[in-house]
Amino acid sequence: MAFLSIIIAAHNAKDTLHTTLESLQNAIEGAWDDVEIIIFNDSSNDSTQDIIEAWLPMLPNAQSRYVEYRNVGHVRNSALSLATGEYITMLDSDDRMKPGSIRDAVAFLKSERPDMLLTRLLEIRDTKKMTADWQGFSPVALSQHEAIKRFLQHKDFQAHLIGQFIHRKLYVNNPIPSMICYEDFAVFPGMLMQSRKIVYQRQGHYYYIKRNDSLSSRLDASKIATLVDCTLQMEKTFPRSFKHLVNCHWFDIYRNHRQHLTDLQLKLVKQRVNALYSLSFFFTRDVRFSYKKRVIEALWKK
């Protein structure tokens, strides 16, 4: 059994997977015995499988599967069923990790045993700007309330499973649904609600490489419908004390995606957005002033 399971979902990743696995190898250095790697190749029709097979002998406790799910949620759940680690983290097949970071994460997790070790993803478009600078893990403790607030404010971390170190019990209690997108958003709020010991690392170890063909640039009505469903579930999961911050997410859907909404969805979203136009919203300290200003501007245009 491993202490940390690292799960990678790959699909047509021939251009990036080698470099990703190279960065992973450098990130693990010194912690080989504590780590296992599980790679799922989902429906690739390029040389992704050849790259995986070339790398398997060079990675600690590594195994792979070829599947034809065409569904990242299904892939991640299947990989989780094979994982033996007390903690689980995920790595996308086109991202990078800083050297020594997995080794240091293992040492911290063994020492402190948090429910969640959350980290800030380093979003980057130009890979030439990446550095190997890394000072190890020295995270700060967050109360559950503070963690939920920061999550809802899109401050420090969002609903990403990549780059986060999460105790396996939270995955057992929050199985990832079979979804082609937003599968992490579907489970992240529940994980926060079930966590008592949450720590956050400001200095990022994970380069999240933004690409022109990413999910956010290929949104359509079905994906926005999934976003609406996940936001509804989040609304039910978090206490009512967070209603203004949750309604800010509804405001973002209305402002950015209303052209994709059905009449029924639009009615629901407008209902939530209208709840923002209240004194309690404008006086709450949880919502940033810049956001209140955007809501006022939207009201003025109505």
Side-chain angles (χ1 to χ4, degrees), residues 22 24 36 66 83 85 98 185 223 235 237:
E22 191 173 50
L24 176 59
E36 69 178 0
Y66 177 83
K98 292 209 170 191
F185 185 18
K223 289 172 183 172
E235 183 180 82
T237 300

Side-chain angles (χ1 to χ4, degrees), residues 12 48 62 66 84 89 91 106 109 112 125 127 132 149 156 170 191 196 201 242-243 254 263:
N12 287 346
T48 293
Y66 177 83
T84 65
T89 192
L91 170 63
V106 167
L109 293 168
E112 300 299 326
R125 290 188 182 275
T127 57
K149 185 173 79 170
D156 302 322
L170 295 174
M191 289 177 167
R196 293 297 170 263
Q201 168 82 10
F242 294 101
K243 67 176 182 179
Y254 177 75
D263 290 344

